[in-house]
Amino acid sequence: MTVRPPTLREKRRYVLVRIAPAGCIPDPKELYLAVHDAATVLWGDAVASLIHPAVVAVENGCAIVRCRRGMERELAIALSTVTSCGGQRIALRTCATSGTIESLRERVASVHRPKPPSSGGPAECMIDGRLFMVCHCAGQKVDVIEKGFKNTTRFFLTTEDLEDQ
Amino acid sequence: MITDACICPRPRGDSSVRRMALEAHELGFDSLVAIDAPTCEYAGVSVMSGVLVRGAFAQEILPRVKRCKGTDTVVIVEAGDSGFNRAVLAMRGVHVLCGVHLTDRYGFDHVAAKIAADSGIAIDISLAPIIHERGATRQRALDRYLDIVMLQRRFEFPLVLSTHARSVLEMRSVREISALASLVGLDVGDVKQALGNAGRLCSPEPAVQVIQ
């Protein structure tokens, strides 16, 4: 198969999104399915085919999503309706749009990334008489999960909330 | 002030009000209306206390609305049928009518829109059904919002935008809210005004202003 000359190639744009909650690394294929589903359900098959979304990369808590040039707005709206991926609750926060993947890779470093877990903080805490395990701690933000295999709901708190308990 | 007109922190949701204020700061908000949370300021975000009132009859909600009178609490009432909505919109002490997308087509009509404009009560456009719902439910919500926006342009009652977020994952940035609101015919100027309305509800401009 011969490669098309640049002038005949389809023009594409790349959207950088930050994946929340911090520490969540979804499978790229699962993320693609979630984005594709969100675009199709919101805009319908006709517009979704024009958007032509694809997940190019998932790295450092961010994802690069590709779309056809001129459909960035539609893709961004569809991305804000993504609420879960592979059964896990997530949110995709649009950070930047660019014509090249390379420039977005440079932006990934500047996008707020989770800091390493603080070593001094408690690994466990009691909230309302229940035992919780700290699963992520960055700055003032603390994410906790109730201990036990039945309940895996993640709670989003701050260090001050833990001090108040 | 750019305000998310309704969020539901713990115990209704899974995120504390402080965490939601931190997130709101990152997402570009200046203030929040948090249901059943005390008024405070955190991470540069002013958190306004809100109360969500629901009832079948106007008489049922009246004592709760009266209890909040004279305080800085934002009183948000969930919409019901046409008669209920008209009674609520004429009630003193109510700031926002929410959940209009869940009512029937005649639940919020031109008469209710006129009353809302006269009394200065805001109508809430919750982005939660647009973000979380799929299929017919979302289509119905979009249809109702388009109708509300059409009435708003005619009668000029205040609009507020909210996410009704129960988690930080359900919060959206100002840019995302602006993009989502464009689905119901609100342009950037309308969105800016709607996001600013919630802050003005508790401290409305006086009818007469003395200029020295």
Side-chain angles (χ1 to χ4, degrees):
Chain A
M1 193 179 75
T2 54
V3 178
R4 282 192 182 190
T7 50
L8 291 177
R9 276 183 215 158
E10 191 179 64
K11 298 284 185 284
R12 286 163 174 178
R13 298 284 273 175
Y14 300 90
V15 178
L16 178 68
V17 292
R18 183 166 59 84
I19 301 164
C24 168
I25 306 160
D27 178 49
K29 194 176 176 184
E30 295 276 5
L31 189 61
Y32 163 74
L33 291 173
V35 171
H36 196 271
D37 179 61
T40 308
V41 172
L42 182 66
W43 297 110
D45 290 335
V47 179
S49 73
L50 288 174
I51 299 171
H52 196 52
V55 174
V56 177
V58 177
E59 53 194 39
N60 294 327
C62 294
I64 296 172
V65 186
R66 189 183 69 198
C67 70
R68 191 169 278 148
R69 194 172 71 175
M71 304 304 283
E72 302 92 335
R73 176 186 159 270
E74 283 76 7
L75 178 69
I77 296 174
L79 287 172
S80 60
T81 66
V82 174
T83 53
S84 68
C85 174
Q88 203 176 5
R89 289 173 68 210
I90 62 159
L92 301 177
R93 312 243 187 258
T94 310
C95 300
T97 306
S98 176
T100 61
I101 301 172
E102 208 48 50
S103 62
L104 287 184
R105 287 223 161 98
E106 287 165 15
R107 283 288 292 270
V108 169
S110 66
V111 171
H112 173 72
R113 278 190 291 165
K115 295 165 193 168
S118 47
S119 53
E124 289 176 354
C125 57
M126 290 286 280
I127 301 166
D128 302 332
R130 291 183 292 170
L131 189 62
F132 286 83
M133 189 177 68
V134 175
C135 64
H136 186 265
C137 185
Q140 289 171 296
K141 297 178 181 178
V142 182
D143 299 355
V144 297
I145 296 179
E146 190 172 1
K147 266 206 152 182
F149 53 87
K150 267 189 176 175
N151 196 342
T152 55
T153 312
R154 191 165 172 157
F155 287 94
F156 302 93
L157 310 171
T158 62
T159 47
E160 283 181 46
D161 291 319
L162 293 185
E163 284 163 16
D164 287 352
Q165 296 297 323
Chain B
M1 289 249 280
I2 300 170
T3 310
D4 187 337
C6 184
I7 58 152
C8 307
R10 286 187 77 221
R12 283 172 183 258
D14 63 12
S15 308
S16 70
V17 66
R18 286 175 180 145
R19 180 62 182 270
M20 290 182 112
L22 267 177
E23 198 74 21
H25 178 69
E26 286 176 11
L27 296 174
F29 287 95
D30 299 321
S31 62
L32 296 170
V33 176
I35 302 300
D36 299 335
T39 302
C40 62
E41 189 161 335
Y42 196 77
V45 174
S46 129
V47 179
M48 292 187 270
S49 176
V51 62
L52 196 58
V53 184
R54 65 166 67 105
F57 311 103
Q59 290 300 320
E60 201 180 323
I61 65 157
L62 196 58
R64 286 195 72 188
V65 174
K66 273 187 177 172
R67 217 177 299 151
C68 299
K69 234 177 191 178
T71 63
D72 55 357
T73 307
V74 178
V75 179
I76 304 168
V77 179
E78 275 193 14
D81 59 16
S82 175
F84 176 85
N85 293 345
R86 288 180 192 182
V88 166
L89 290 168
M91 207 179 276
R92 280 175 181 269
V94 175
H95 296 112
V96 181
L97 184 71
C98 76
V100 179
H101 66 281
L102 297 170
T103 65
D104 61 30
R105 193 152 188 91
Y106 304 103
F108 186 80
D109 55 7
H110 62 287
V111 180
K114 177 90 172 62
I115 301 169
D118 290 344
S119 54
I121 293 175
I123 305 302
D124 175 46
I125 291 190
S126 169
L127 298 172
I130 304 176
I131 295 167
H132 302 289
E133 301 294 345
R134 296 281 188 272
T137 315
R138 177 153 68 184
Q139 288 165 27
R140 199 161 48 240
L142 287 168
D143 177 51
R144 297 291 290 119
Y145 288 156
L146 281 167
D147 190 45
I148 291 168
V149 170
M150 187 269 284
L151 287 170
Q152 195 271 337
R153 292 203 199 289
R154 173 75 178 77
F155 294 98
E156 296 182 342
F157 53 82
L159 276 182
V160 291
L161 287 166
S162 67
T163 55
H164 280 255
R166 285 168 182 267
S167 166
V168 289
L169 300 179
E170 293 175 12
M171 295 175 83
R172 293 292 180 268
S173 69
V174 176
R175 195 188 297 171
E176 286 169 329
I177 284 177
S178 184
L180 286 164
S182 70
L183 295 175
V184 293
L186 292 173
D187 59 27
V188 179
D190 296 331
V191 171
K192 202 176 168 187
Q193 195 176 16
L195 289 172
N197 276 341
R200 284 190 282 269
L201 289 173
C202 277
S203 51
E205 285 175 21
V208 179
Q209 199 174 1
V210 180
I211 301 167
Q212 291 180 337

